[in-house]
Amino acid sequence: MKKEDQVLMGFRDLYNKIVWLNKNKMEDSLKGYTSSEVHCIEYIEKNADSNVTKLAESFYMTRGAISKLTQKLIKKGLIESYQKSDNKKEIYFRLTAQGKVIDKIHEDLHKEFQERDKAVFEQVTEEQFDSMLSFVEKYSRHLDAVIKKQGLDMKSE
Amino acid sequence: MKKEDQVLMGFRDLYNKIVWLNKNKMEDSLKGYTSSEVHCIEYIEKNADSNVTKLAESFYMTRGAISKLTQKLIKKGLIESYQKSDNKKEIYFRLTAQGKVIDKIHEDLHKEFQERDKAVFEQVTEEQFDSMLSFVEKYSRHLDAVIKKQGLDMKSE
DNA sequence: TCGACTTTGTTTCCTTGTCAACAAAATGGC
DNA sequence: GCCATTTTGTTGACAAGGAAACAAAGTCGA
C-alpha cells in the first residue's frame, strides 16, 4: 500500500477512535446533552454572531439539521437568538447563562482529554508539529480549491 | 492556542472536508448506493470471513446498524452470506459478482481521488510521511490502551 | 456434562440528520 | 425603483444509526 494511503487510512481510524472515545466520555459526564449539542454550544461561544448557515458550513451539515438542533437548544434554555436592526432575515445565537455552564464543563472535559493524551504529544518535536500543520493547511487549501471549482461545475450542469 | 489543539482541529476539519467531498462525488458516480454501503462492500472484499461484529468494530458502529446494512446489501444482491460447518452462530459475508462490479467502480473512484490530491502529496518528503505515520500509530496505540482500560473500568461500575 | 456466562446477530423503538419544497428577506442588474 | 435571483431559515417526509431487549449458539469452569 502506498504511504499516502497509509497516512489517510491511519488518520481515518485515529479520528474515528478519538470521536468515539470522547463522545462516550462526554455523554457520560454531560448527561442529558448530546455531543452535537455541546459542539454547537462551543461554536456559538467561540464565534460571535453565529447563525444557522455558518454553523452548517462549519460542521458540514445541512441547514435543516442545524435549524432543528438550535431550536432544541433554545427550548432547553442553553442558547438564545437575536437579530440586528438592519437585517430582518438573519438570526444569530448566543449562549445563555446556563449554556455557559455547559460550555465550561465541556472545556474542562477537553482539558481532561489533553491530559489523557499528554504522553503522546510530549514525544512530538516542534519540527514534527510544524510539518504536520503545514501538511494539514496545504491539503485543506487544496480541497477548498476543489470544492470551489466543483461549485462552479455544478452550476453549469 | 496550543499546537496540539491546532493539529487536532486541523485534522478534524480536514477529515470532515475529505469525507464530505468524497461522499458527494461517490454518491454522484455510484447512484443508488450510499457511501456506507460502498464502504461496507470495500471492507468485505478486503477482509476474508468478515461478519457483523467485525464490521461494527471496524466502523465504530453498532452491530444493529451493520445488521440492517448487510441485510440491505443482500436484498440488493451485492453480497451473500455463508457459514462454516463447525459454527452455527457466526455468519460471514462475501461479494457477489454484482458486488465486485461496484467495488471495482469504487476502486477507480479512489484512484481518481488520489489523482485529484496528487499535487499535495508530491510535496511531502519521505521523512514527513514517516513522521506522520509514527505519530498516528503511537496515538492510536495509546487510545487502544485507554479504551481497554475503560472497558475494564466499566465492568467494575 | 451441566449450568452460568458470553458472544453473535436480529428486532423494535426512538433520535438524528438529509432532502426537497417553501416563505420571507436581501441583493443586484436594468 | 422594480423585478428576477439569491440567501436564509423552517418544515415534513423519509432514511440511517443507536440503545436496549432478545433468542440462539458457543464457551468454560466445576
Side-chain angles (χ1 to χ4, degrees):
Chain A
M1 189 169 51
K2 283 187 185 173
K3 282 206 173 164
E4 48 188 271
D5 274 351
Q6 278 182 35
V7 168
L8 286 181
M9 290 180 63
F11 278 146
R12 182 175 66 181
D13 191 52
L14 179 60
Y15 181 81
N16 285 336
K17 217 172 273 186
I18 294 175
V19 167
W20 183 81
L21 199 52
N22 291 2
K23 184 174 182 291
N24 280 359
K25 180 75 181 171
M26 204 158 79
E27 296 183 351
D28 197 48
S29 298
L30 279 165
K31 285 218 163 64
Y33 305 97
T34 66
S35 75
S36 286
E37 291 174 342
V38 177
H39 280 133
C40 193
I41 287 172
E42 182 189 14
Y43 184 93
I44 290 171
E45 177 65 13
K46 287 195 179 148
N47 301 85
D49 294 341
S50 35
N51 58 6
V52 166
T53 299
K54 283 186 215 158
L55 281 161
E57 282 172 359
S58 166
F59 294 164
Y60 296 89
M61 284 170 58
T62 61
R63 282 180 321 209
I66 300 292
S67 179
K68 290 170 197 169
L69 186 51
T70 50
Q71 283 174 42
K72 198 165 53 160
L73 288 174
I74 289 175
K75 271 193 196 123
K76 286 192 175 184
L78 300 170
I79 65 173
E80 57 190 12
S81 62
Y82 63 95
Q83 291 192 286
K84 296 187 178 180
S85 55
D86 60 344
N87 190 318
K88 292 170 188 167
K89 190 170 64 162
E90 299 185 350
I91 300 170
Y92 308 101
F93 304 108
R94 62 174 160 241
L95 299 193
T96 62
Q98 202 190 333
K100 290 194 183 193
V101 172
I102 300 299
D103 187 57
K104 180 68 174 56
I105 298 174
H106 170 252
E107 221 175 86
D108 292 344
L109 213 50
H110 191 71
K111 279 173 194 150
E112 206 178 296
F113 294 150
Q114 284 188 340
E115 199 60 31
R116 180 194 70 196
D117 300 338
K118 212 174 70 178
V120 175
F121 285 100
E122 275 172 354
Q123 295 180 51
V124 179
T125 66
E126 200 71 9
E127 289 74 35
Q128 278 183 302
F129 268 127
D130 293 338
S131 157
M132 288 196 286
L133 274 175
S134 127
F135 170 74
V136 166
E137 274 162 29
K138 259 184 215 151
Y139 204 166
S140 197
R141 274 202 305 273
H142 169 71
L143 293 181
D144 285 340
V146 172
I147 289 172
K148 199 169 176 183
K149 188 171 167 298
Q150 210 184 54
L152 295 172
D153 284 359
M154 284 161 106
K155 274 190 190 166
S156 66
E157 269 171 26
Chain B
M1 189 169 53
K2 283 186 186 173
K3 281 207 173 164
E4 47 188 89
D5 273 352
Q6 279 181 34
V7 169
L8 286 180
M9 290 180 63
F11 278 145
R12 182 175 66 181
D13 190 53
L14 178 60
Y15 181 80
N16 285 336
K17 218 173 272 186
I18 292 175
V19 168
W20 183 81
L21 200 52
N22 291 3
K23 184 174 182 290
N24 280 0
K25 180 73 182 175
M26 205 159 78
E27 295 183 351
D28 198 49
S29 298
L30 278 165
K31 285 217 164 65
Y33 304 98
T34 66
S35 75
S36 286
E37 291 173 342
V38 176
H39 280 134
C40 193
I41 288 173
E42 181 189 15
Y43 184 92
I44 291 171
E45 177 64 13
K46 287 195 178 147
N47 301 83
D49 294 341
S50 35
N51 59 5
V52 166
T53 300
K54 283 186 214 157
L55 280 161
E57 282 171 0
S58 166
F59 293 163
Y60 295 88
M61 284 169 59
T62 61
R63 283 180 322 211
I66 300 292
S67 178
K68 291 172 205 166
L69 187 51
T70 50
Q71 283 173 37
K72 200 166 53 161
L73 288 174
I74 290 174
K75 271 195 195 122
K76 286 190 177 187
L78 300 171
I79 66 174
E80 57 191 13
S81 63
Y82 63 94
Q83 291 192 286
K84 296 187 178 179
S85 53
D86 60 345
N87 190 319
K88 291 171 187 168
K89 191 170 61 161
E90 299 185 351
I91 300 170
Y92 308 102
F93 303 109
R94 62 174 161 240
L95 299 193
T96 62
Q98 202 190 333
K100 291 194 180 191
V101 172
I102 300 299
D103 187 56
K104 181 67 174 57
I105 297 175
H106 170 251
E107 219 176 87
D108 293 344
L109 214 49
H110 191 71
K111 279 175 195 150
E112 207 179 295
F113 294 149
Q114 284 189 339
E115 198 59 32
R116 179 194 70 195
D117 300 339
K118 212 174 71 179
V120 174
F121 285 100
E122 274 173 355
Q123 295 179 51
V124 179
T125 66
E126 200 71 10
E127 290 74 35
Q128 279 182 301
F129 267 127
D130 293 339
S131 157
M132 288 196 285
L133 274 175
S134 128
F135 170 75
V136 166
E137 274 162 29
K138 259 185 216 152
Y139 204 167
S140 197
R141 274 201 305 272
H142 169 71
L143 292 181
D144 285 340
V146 172
I147 288 172
K148 200 170 176 183
K149 187 171 169 297
Q150 210 184 55
L152 294 172
D153 283 359
M154 284 160 107
K155 273 189 191 168
S156 66
E157 270 172 24

